[in-house]
Amino acid sequence: MPTSQRIGWILFWLVWMSCSTARAAEIITPETVPGSTRVNAEEVIDLVEKVSNLVIIDARIALDRKQGFIEGSHSLPDVETTCISLAKLAPGKKHPVLFYCNGVKCGRSAKAIATAQSCGYATIYWFRGGFEEWKAKAYPFVTE
């Protein structure tokens, strides 16, 4: 197993363990997730404009998504992210995918990235600031 994949699994385990505790609301995600490219809100917009086949995955649970979501994103909570569910949205391991969740205190997108890496996806973007940053910058979003 390549080192980056091992690091991904370790990160996945750490985030999962953190989310399982009563202090999950106090999680601060790592600055980077090895094997992914971290982007901010402006870079998300740039990617959407430049990468026509980019798939944006909202790794939050349905209750969070009801508060709003980035237009064009697909709901795929981290707990439902598998190689099969990813393949339905992003066919081919080189298909570019971008993951986000609530923000820097949410580990769901990092967890979903670890799953994507274990499935062999190679072009992964991480919007660490997530929906919190998106709303703070007053970018448009959709509500159900």
Side-chain angles (χ1 to χ4, degrees):
M1 179 182 293
T3 302
S4 63
Q5 203 170 18
R6 270 188 252 135
I7 292 170
W9 276 108
I10 291 168
L11 175 64
F12 167 79
W13 182 82
L14 290 172
V15 170
W16 183 80
M17 290 301 292
S18 298
C19 289
S20 299
T21 68
R23 296 175 50 120
E26 297 177 23
I27 295 171
I28 301 295
T29 58
E31 290 293 321
T32 61
V33 173
S36 71
T37 301
R38 181 177 149 183
V39 296
N40 61 30
E42 292 76 22
E43 291 167 321
V44 170
I45 293 168
D46 192 46
L47 281 169
V48 168
E49 291 173 353
K50 292 181 178 174
V51 182
S52 62
N53 60 344
L54 178 70
V55 174
I56 302 174
I57 298 176
D58 182 346
R60 301 175 300 159
I61 59 174
L63 183 62
D64 288 339
R65 190 165 166 91
K66 287 184 181 191
Q67 305 304 311
F69 55 91
I70 298 172
E71 185 174 0
S73 66
H74 299 272
S75 178
L76 184 58
D78 63 315
V79 295
E80 297 174 19
T81 302
T82 65
C83 297
I84 293 170
S85 63
L86 282 169
K88 289 177 183 177
L89 298 173
K93 306 302 182 195
K94 291 186 180 180
H95 204 103
V97 290
L98 180 144
F99 292 88
Y100 78 94
C101 58
N102 285 322
V104 298
K105 293 183 180 181
C106 176
R108 293 183 182 280
S109 55
K111 198 170 149 187
I113 287 171
T115 301
Q117 289 173 331
S118 72
C119 297
Y121 283 86
T123 309
I124 300 173
Y125 298 94
W126 182 35
F127 180 23
R128 180 178 183 256
F131 195 63
E132 181 180 274
E133 179 184 331
W134 193 263
K135 280 183 11 180
K137 292 184 175 180
Y139 289 136
F141 59 90
V142 180
T143 57
E144 294 180 336

